[in-house]
Amino acid sequence: MTSQTLLLKVEDYLAVRRGLGFELKSAEKDLRQFVRYAGRVGHQGPLTTDLAVAWARLSRSADPAQAAKRLVTVRAFARYLTALDPATEVPPLGLLGPLPRRRQPHIYSDTEIAALLARARGLLPRRGLRPRTYVTLFALLVSTGLRLSEACHLQPDDMDLADGVITVRQGKFRRARLVPLHPTTTQALNCYADEHGVALSGYFFRTDHAPALKPDTVQKTFSRLRTRLGWTAEGRARLPRVHDLRHTFAVRRLLRWHAAGVDLDRKMLALSTYLGHAKPSHTYWYLEAVPELMAITAERFEHFARQPLEGAS
């Protein structure tokens, strides 16, 4: 198989996966680099494990797990190729070491959230739209668990503030979903819309000089606010991020359900759908990633362990 043929196979593979809803921006970049490498070394014939490993090890990242990540990307592509060419070699799992586990998220306290909103309220220009936009945006993220990109893409037509429901049309994996709002959140969004005439704008969140908020711009603004607040990773699970507002929403909801004596297994699917997770397992991850929820996990296991074995006398 020549590098040109391999490139065509990559295009076919990406089209198939994207048809299933995957974005694959990083995978596309890596696989194109892999094809160029195969061309440089003059590779011919079916994809081999040696070729994949040699390319994966070329990673210049200081992260020792980056090579393993690159190999996993090629492995997924190789599995696709086996249906077209049985001679394709699929690299074994863990060949370059295990993939790193997701890092524990930072869960904001009420004090931290209040401090963040207070700092956002002081953004310049003081009498402009920018401070109110950022306060409303951050408050929406922590009260709904929306992804930053989802919130930035919201348009006035997506906001049914009469019934208190948001339609997320550009969610991850291109999946649309409905997000019911708490009455206080609906009230805050109504005030923002009424005071600043956002119904006339193409996007719900904007500033005086920008018709839409861009995620990168929000990240930079948040970084400056974090510095002014003196937030570091010291004494925390990690350096606070915008995305941790989403994690905070999910963890708080689980803790409230647990405190109310609700069966979490019955609620997990609803929370997974609300958050727009591709799999319920992505929601269950919180139970093992957050110390506050580990106690719930331990309690669930203890309850299970105390149950008599079926058929035991």
Side-chain angles (χ1 to χ4, degrees):
M1 185 185 300
T2 66
S3 60
Q4 185 60 36
T5 302
L6 192 60
L7 179 59
L8 293 176
K9 299 300 182 185
V10 165
E11 297 291 351
D12 291 342
Y13 166 72
L14 293 173
V16 169
R17 294 294 304 280
R18 283 172 175 153
L20 297 173
F22 295 93
E23 292 186 2
L24 302 176
K25 292 180 180 178
S26 178
E28 178 177 8
K29 178 182 177 183
D30 284 346
L31 289 174
R32 289 185 182 279
Q33 290 179 356
F34 173 66
V35 170
R36 287 195 292 271
Y37 170 77
R40 287 198 306 271
V41 300
H43 177 77
Q44 298 287 333
L47 188 153
T48 65
T49 296
D50 287 344
L51 178 70
V53 169
W55 172 77
R57 284 177 168 164
L58 291 177
S59 171
R60 298 179 180 178
S61 172
D63 181 1
Q66 189 61 32
K69 293 179 183 178
R70 284 157 61 97
L71 186 60
V72 166
T73 299
V74 178
R75 184 178 187 278
F77 173 55
R79 291 181 62 189
Y80 165 81
L81 284 181
T82 57
L84 307 174
D85 184 356
T88 301
E89 295 180 5
V90 178
L93 283 172
L95 190 59
L96 294 182
L99 290 175
R101 296 171 61 88
R102 290 175 64 181
R103 291 179 61 188
Q104 178 185 329
H106 173 72
I107 305 303
Y108 289 94
S109 66
D110 288 340
T111 301
E112 288 174 326
I113 293 172
L116 174 63
L117 297 183
R119 279 288 179 176
R121 202 170 286 116
L123 287 169
L124 299 177
R126 294 290 176 86
R127 295 175 180 261
L129 177 56
R130 184 167 175 254
R132 187 60 185 274
T133 292
Y134 274 91
V135 168
T136 307
L137 173 69
F138 291 147
L140 178 66
L141 295 179
V142 79
S143 63
T144 61
L146 288 180
R147 299 179 179 92
L148 176 58
S149 60
E150 294 171 344
C152 287
H153 283 119
L154 289 173
Q155 299 182 16
D157 288 345
D158 301 328
M159 316 293 287
D160 182 354
L161 299 182
D163 291 330
V165 178
I166 287 177
T167 300
V168 176
R169 303 184 191 280
Q170 297 193 41
K172 197 171 183 180
F173 307 116
R174 303 176 187 175
R175 294 181 178 181
R177 70 184 190 280
L178 298 178
V179 178
L181 303 173
H182 189 275
T184 57
T185 303
T186 303
Q187 182 181 9
L189 293 173
N190 265 315
C191 289
Y192 173 78
D194 292 343
E195 291 178 13
H196 302 290
V198 294
L200 302 177
S201 172
Y203 289 90
F204 190 79
F205 291 112
R206 60 182 177 85
T207 67
D208 295 312
H209 302 292
L213 285 183
K214 295 183 178 180
D216 287 348
T217 302
V218 176
Q219 297 280 13
K220 291 176 183 177
T221 300
F222 176 84
S223 180
R224 288 193 289 269
L225 293 174
R226 181 176 60 197
T227 299
R228 293 171 188 170
L229 286 164
W231 288 350
T232 65
E234 186 176 355
R236 296 181 172 86
R238 64 181 302 164
L239 190 66
R241 308 165 301 162
V242 174
H243 195 64
D244 289 319
L245 293 171
R246 173 175 166 86
H247 292 317
T248 299
F249 166 81
V251 169
R252 287 186 170 197
R253 173 42 54 198
L254 289 169
L255 287 172
R256 285 172 183 162
W257 276 336
H258 178 65
V262 173
D263 184 347
L264 290 186
D265 286 326
R266 292 181 179 273
K267 290 290 189 179
M268 277 298 193
L269 182 57
L271 182 59
S272 182
T273 302
Y274 188 90
L275 291 171
H277 283 161
K279 301 176 181 178
S281 59
H282 296 168
T283 313
Y284 274 99
W285 168 76
Y286 288 109
L287 295 180
E288 64 181 46
V290 180
E292 294 89 338
L293 295 177
M294 281 296 293
I296 297 176
T297 303
E299 182 180 311
R300 286 154 56 94
F301 178 76
E302 183 178 358
H303 175 74
F304 169 78
R306 288 179 177 177
Q307 297 299 310
L309 293 176
E310 183 177 353
S313 57

